Amino acid sequence: MDAVARSGSGSGRTPRPQKSKAGWNLLGLLVFVTAGFPVYWMLNTAFKPAKDAIDPDPSLLPTGLTLSNFSRALDIADFWGPVGRSLIVSLSVVAIGVVVGTLAALAISRFAFRGRKIVIVGILAVQMIPLVAMIIPVFLLLNDLDQYDKLSGLIITYLTFILPFTVWTLRGFIVNIPKELEEAAMVDGCSPTGAFLRVVFPLLAPGMVATSVYAFIQAWNEYLYALMLLSQKNQTATVWLGNFTTKHGTEYAPMMAGSTMMAVPIVVLFLLVQRKMAAGLTAGAVKG
């Protein structure tokens, strides 16, 4: 009887299935390989000799390393000009979007006013409109405002789809910050602005960093509007990369070298803010 009791009590604990864990690990590895292979192939092509980049039977492993593709990419066309313009546009969009988006998200989250639900629905509706559907209206509007072929016009255009994303994302972070913290600060003598700056803002900072990174990536990688609203002399880095052709045709190895150089600002930005970004992505995951 004791043996039966011991066996019965032991059978009540269900061991964790090892096959299921191995299956999830395999799925994660498959997703990693699928997402990382294009990046690997870009780097592989950027550092291999130009003749190997057009080989009909390419090798998965590097057959040789060279830096000539990078110098060739810089010699074919102006590189620093488009990159500098992309940085100006992206940083301006992030700065304006985060400041205005934070104030708008705070108003939507903390204040009750007439039409509040309509504003929230409008923010969602704007993000559902395809960007290609707004090219002609945006072109006509910028032309009337004398903003065509100007970086300021491109910044205004980018804000039309990045600002709703910023407002909606920051609203989710602010909602997860208890309002009682602000009320306690105001009871201790803080003004509403002081309560926000001393209590809400430090807690919101990781979310602002994560939102800024995603907004920067959207502005940096945007191609369609930059192509349609700017001339060749004012082109951004994505348009420069899309027009990477010479009299000899498309040179794929230098193109991949240019793509690698374009990815550097994103990688550097991510490395600088990765801790804050990780904290922002997990903010609100645990309540209480």
Side-chain angles (χ1 to χ4, degrees):
M1 292 296 293
D2 293 340
V4 173
R6 287 194 298 269
S7 62
S9 60
S11 61
R13 300 177 62 183
T14 303
R16 188 172 182 177
Q18 296 296 326
K19 292 184 179 180
S20 177
K21 185 177 180 180
W24 283 112
N25 291 336
L26 182 61
L27 178 61
L29 180 61
L30 179 62
V31 171
F32 172 77
V33 172
T34 304
F37 181 77
V39 179
Y40 164 75
W41 195 251
M42 177 185 71
L43 296 173
N44 183 23
T45 307
F47 287 97
K48 68 170 53 175
K51 61 181 181 63
D52 294 339
I54 57 175
D55 191 341
D57 187 19
S59 174
L60 289 177
L61 299 177
T63 55
L65 298 179
T66 179
L67 296 177
S68 61
N69 296 324
F70 292 89
S71 59
R72 177 63 176 163
L74 295 176
D75 293 338
I76 288 177
D78 178 31
F79 173 75
W80 299 110
V83 168
R85 287 187 285 270
S86 290
L87 284 174
I88 292 174
V89 171
S90 301
L91 293 176
S92 300
V93 169
V94 169
I96 298 173
V98 169
V99 172
V100 177
T102 301
L103 297 177
L106 183 65
I108 294 174
S109 305
R110 289 291 192 258
F111 301 102
F113 54 89
R114 183 176 299 178
R116 178 172 172 268
K117 292 184 178 180
I118 297 177
V119 173
I120 296 175
V121 173
I123 292 174
L124 289 175
V126 169
Q127 299 184 70
M128 296 178 185
I129 301 176
L131 296 179
V132 67
M134 299 189 295
I135 289 181
I136 296 178
V138 168
F139 173 81
L140 295 176
L141 180 61
L142 292 181
N143 191 41
D144 292 339
L145 296 175
D146 194 25
Q147 291 296 316
Y148 175 73
D149 197 19
K150 293 183 179 179
L151 296 183
S152 56
L154 190 64
I155 292 172
I156 295 173
T157 303
Y158 284 179
L159 285 173
T160 59
F161 59 87
I162 290 180
L163 189 56
F165 162 80
T166 303
V167 174
W168 184 257
T169 305
L170 291 177
R171 174 186 174 273
F173 290 113
I174 295 176
V175 166
N176 286 310
I177 299 176
K179 191 176 181 180
E180 290 76 13
L181 295 177
E182 295 178 72
E183 295 174 349
M186 287 187 285
V187 168
D188 291 338
C190 285
S191 63
T193 304
F196 171 77
L197 294 177
R198 298 182 181 183
V199 177
V200 178
F201 183 77
L203 298 175
L204 185 60
M208 294 177 66
V209 171
T211 304
S212 300
V213 171
Y214 282 109
F216 182 88
I217 292 174
Q218 288 186 58
W220 179 265
N221 291 334
E222 204 284 324
Y223 172 78
L224 184 61
Y225 281 96
L227 176 65
M228 300 299 296
L229 300 179
L230 296 176
S231 62
Q232 187 174 2
K233 66 177 182 178
N234 291 326
Q235 65 184 358
T236 58
T238 52
V239 179
W240 170 83
L241 188 63
N243 294 328
F244 208 88
T245 56
T246 66
K247 61 182 179 180
H248 303 292
T250 302
E251 300 190 31
Y252 293 101
M255 176 183 287
M256 292 300 102
S259 301
T260 302
M261 291 187 290
M262 276 186 56
V264 170
I266 300 294
V267 175
V268 172
L269 178 63
F270 179 79
L271 292 177
L272 291 176
V273 300
Q274 59 176 334
R275 293 185 179 180
K276 287 288 185 179
M277 188 175 178
L281 292 175
T282 56
V286 179
K287 186 176 182 181

